[in-house]
Amino acid sequence: MNATTSRSVVLASRPVGIPQAEHFRIVETPVPALTPGQVLVRTVYWSVEPAMRGWVNAVGNYSEPVAVGAVMRSLASGVVEASTHPDYGVGDLVTGMFGWQDHAAVDAHVISHRIDPQGPPLSASLGVLGLNGLTAYFGLLDIGEPRAGETVVVSTAAGSVGSAVGQIARIKGCRSVGIAGGENKVRQCLDVFGFDACIDYKSQDLAQELRNACPGGVDVYFDNTAGPISDVVMAQLNIGARVVVCGTASIASWDPMPSGPRVERHLLVKRARMQGLLIFDHADRFAEGRAQLASWLTQGRLKYLEDILPGIEHAPDAIAGLYRGENQGKRLIQVSRDPTSGNA
Amino acid sequence: MNATTSRSVVLASRPVGIPQAEHFRIVETPVPALTPGQVLVRTVYWSVEPAMRGWVNAVGNYSEPVAVGAVMRSLASGVVEASTHPDYGVGDLVTGMFGWQDHAAVDAHVISHRIDPQGPPLSASLGVLGLNGLTAYFGLLDIGEPRAGETVVVSTAAGSVGSAVGQIARIKGCRSVGIAGGENKVRQCLDVFGFDACIDYKSQDLAQELRNACPGGVDVYFDNTAGPISDVVMAQLNIGARVVVCGTASIASWDPMPSGPRVERHLLVKRARMQGLLIFDHADRFAEGRAQLASWLTQGRLKYLEDILPGIEHAPDAIAGLYRGENQGKRLIQVSRDPTSGNA
């Protein structure tokens, strides 16, 4: 017997900076009826990601901000519960921009792709086989262009993107150096993700620790912070270095624009390159990226951690929690039973 | 009858920031005797360039700083007056890193290349056919990668690099927009160098003027400033824009490191690229670049201005004068008779 009501998380008011629990509200509505061609998805996992800060803020971004009163935009994975579209049938596992709602009636084009029920667990579709893994894959390989023997430095190294970057760097024959916050995350980077070195950005002298960890300098810097950590790394770039600008976790607000040491001198003297990454620019190659990542996963060469919050009531505070650094691994919210639980 | 004494300009003390007249001293020494394989060059023109600030400062740069007491490092062009090397004979016109000295006894490898006595005037070898033109050529085409129909913005547009960038952009089918300081330079950009638009950075509202001049946004930004002008341009980049970091004329000193608005957000949201240019990285293609530039020059498609200071006594203050913005076109110091004067 399917549910007749759907619960969703809507944006209650527009935050400045990091969205907090009070900026969201849980609402209950009838499960929507399908119009012809639509698919009803019972979502199982919702994604929680740093980029959501940008999606709910009013400042210029990739896309229109989520409207106040609208369901929070999000990738989610779930099970088809009803379908009037020939390509999808009841029981199919799918991923797409379903939003933070436990039942989503969507046009078929909103479904990103179908998930193999015999493959890795459904939750991986939102992490290491989702945008996080793809961001690491295309950001590092296409923009960072690492060559065997080079040193790759990654900030937020214990995170779901950073940990994949470090592992892919090693797969490609590079020395991987992580920067993470606190002893636990540093240990994870070394023990779980196999970084060659990892340093704690809370240490007394980050510049000296980075020099110790990168005696040959930094060839690729994959940055998720855009703050004081980057300022230290930029000063240790090698000639011809590549900086992948992937995220800005250190910056609580871009309004007003924060200041920092100018990068031009580093870029000029080192003939270095700094380039922004938007993973959706690589969408035509997502299938290739997912296949390669899944293969490394199956071979045991790619590890990941998850932080699954049990239940919709955790959603409103979930983004703020990311910025408090409380998660270990890809943060998800589980809102219904996972049919793949028990898969390897 | 050749001279028996040589005059040179040596670094008298190490400046912090922009080198002033008092940091240099003119000295007189005997014309050196040649050791086997050496060439004696009577220099005619010495180059004066913004990069010289970096060459005499103590902070990290491409190369060792000029030692206190040593002849100022510089490109120069002149005439072979004596030679013990089989490749060079008396009367040959040559360019090389001869330094600010009117007679230079150099090993043959110090000579960069020979100049066609029937070609453009000798002085052009240090400007539009020298590193300035090559910097514009390789910086714009290889790093900026302009495509026909795009908008190319250039700072210090009336300068010897900037003016060539704007003209090459137009040759490649782009809209060229200059940024220059003051009414005279703006007029030069429009009337002499043929920019599609040029704005005065001293204007009340640079951001609005730039929006007016670039209604379709900025696709390529060729920057020679690294200061407040850049901050305005960075905010108007188009998706996929390329920023060529060529010079840092706005920054009087990098010690301590100056601050500015962080660029990461622009690079991320616009998936833009920012890359430093050192022209010597392109040295294996200089002959190609010179040939193309000379061809455009001959066709009248490439104009240039020169600011030739008459006599060695102008050398000590010449770099500071560049930073005061007093030159119009490529600044040179003429220290002896030009055998090509009168060439077209």
Side-chain angles (χ1 to χ4, degrees), chain A residues 155-167:
Chain A
S155 59
T156 69
S160 43
V161 173
S163 61
V165 168
Q167 292 175 90

Side-chain angles (χ1 to χ4, degrees), chain B residues 78-143:
Chain B
V79 188
V80 173
E81 216 166 52
S83 173
T84 61
H85 191 284
D87 290 354
Y88 297 96
V90 172
D92 284 355
L93 301 183
V94 291
T95 291
M97 271 289 186
F98 305 143
W100 278 2
Q101 48 189 343
D102 62 17
H103 285 79
V106 299
D107 294 336
H109 70 82
V110 174
I111 298 174
S112 150
H113 62 285
R114 210 186 300 263
I115 295 161
D116 176 4
Q118 308 305 320
L122 182 61
S123 59
S125 65
L126 295 177
V128 70
L129 296 181
L131 290 184
N132 297 128
L134 293 168
T135 296
Y137 182 85
F138 290 108
L140 178 63
L141 299 183
D142 281 30
I143 298 183

Side-chain angles (χ1 to χ4, degrees), chain A residues 61 231 265 271 274 281, chain B residues 61 262 265 271 274 281:
Chain A
N61 213 298
D231 301 338
R265 186 82 180 165
R271 291 89 92 187
M274 195 171 177
D281 291 340
Chain B
N61 211 298
R262 288 191 173 274
R265 187 82 181 166
R271 290 89 91 188
M274 196 171 177
D281 291 340

Side-chain angles (χ1 to χ4, degrees), chain B residues 81-328:
Chain B
E81 216 166 52
S83 173
T84 61
H85 191 284
D87 290 354
Y88 297 96
V90 172
D92 284 355
L93 301 183
V94 291
T95 291
M97 271 289 186
F98 305 143
W100 278 2
Q101 48 189 343
D102 62 17
H103 285 79
V106 299
D107 294 336
H109 70 82
V110 174
I111 298 174
S112 150
H113 62 285
R114 210 186 300 263
I115 295 161
D116 176 4
Q118 308 305 320
L122 182 61
S123 59
S125 65
L126 295 177
V128 70
L129 296 181
L131 290 184
N132 297 128
L134 293 168
T135 296
Y137 182 85
F138 290 108
L140 178 63
L141 299 183
D142 281 30
I143 298 183
E145 297 184 316
R147 293 181 282 267
E150 289 191 327
T151 296
V152 174
V153 172
V154 193
S155 59
T156 68
S160 44
V161 173
S163 60
V165 168
Q167 294 176 88
I168 297 169
R170 277 184 57 88
I171 288 171
K172 295 296 180 182
C174 296
R175 175 175 171 78
S176 66
V177 176
I179 304 178
E183 200 181 332
N184 278 349
K185 289 188 175 177
V186 167
R187 190 126 302 283
Q188 263 175 23
C189 285
L190 295 170
D191 296 348
V192 180
F193 302 124
F195 278 81
D196 291 295
C198 188
I199 58 188
D200 185 348
Y201 70 76
K202 297 168 180 168
S203 71
Q204 285 294 329
D205 188 346
L206 182 59
Q208 185 56 51
E209 299 228 5
L210 187 66
R211 273 189 294 272
N212 295 345
C214 305
V218 178
D219 299 298
V220 177
Y221 174 43
F222 193 108
D223 182 44
N224 292 297
T225 59
I229 295 171
S230 293
D231 302 338
V232 169
V233 183
M234 291 297 293
Q236 297 188 31
L237 294 181
N238 282 336
I239 286 175
R242 287 82 67 199
V243 177
V244 184
V245 180
C246 177
T248 60
S250 290
I251 309 295
S253 167
W254 290 92
D255 182 18
M257 187 73 98
S259 283
R262 288 191 173 274
V263 296
E264 287 94 335
R265 187 82 181 166
H266 298 309
L267 297 180
L268 191 55
V269 174
K270 300 303 175 53
R271 290 89 91 188
R273 187 176 78 194
M274 196 171 177
Q275 187 168 351
L277 160 70
L278 177 66
I279 188 57
F280 299 108
D281 291 340
H282 302 262
D284 59 336
R285 290 174 56 207
F286 278 1
E288 165 207 327
R290 274 195 297 262
Q292 178 61 78
L293 291 163
S295 155
W296 286 331
L297 207 61
T298 307
Q299 295 164 25
R301 302 176 77 184
L302 191 55
K303 313 284 188 187
Y304 65 101
L305 292 176
E306 290 176 332
D307 170 70
I308 301 181
L309 301 175
I312 189 174
E313 65 276 14
H314 296 282
D317 189 46
I319 302 167
L322 278 186
Y323 282 91
R324 291 191 301 266
E326 66 191 22
N327 62 306
Q328 298 204 337

Side-chain angles (χ1 to χ4, degrees), chain B residues 4-35:
Chain B
T4 55
T5 59
S6 171
R7 292 198 301 168
S8 55
V9 178
V10 302
L11 187 64
S13 60
R14 189 164 305 291
V16 173
I18 296 168
Q20 305 294 327
E22 70 258 27
H23 297 111
F24 297 98
R25 192 174 56 231
I26 297 173
V27 301
E28 197 156 320
T29 53
V31 168
L34 296 186
T35 58

Side-chain angles (χ1 to χ4, degrees), chain A residues 39-40 79-94 114:
Chain A
V39 177
L40 181 68
V79 188
V80 173
E81 214 167 53
S83 173
T84 61
H85 191 285
D87 290 354
Y88 297 96
V90 171
D92 284 356
L93 301 183
V94 290
R114 208 188 301 266

Side-chain angles (χ1 to χ4, degrees), chain A residues 18 53 225-228 248-254 256 258-259 323, chain B residues 262 264:
Chain A
I18 296 167
R53 178 182 63 173
T225 60
T248 60
S250 289
I251 310 294
S253 168
W254 289 92
S259 284
Y323 283 92
Chain B
R262 288 191 173 274
E264 287 94 335

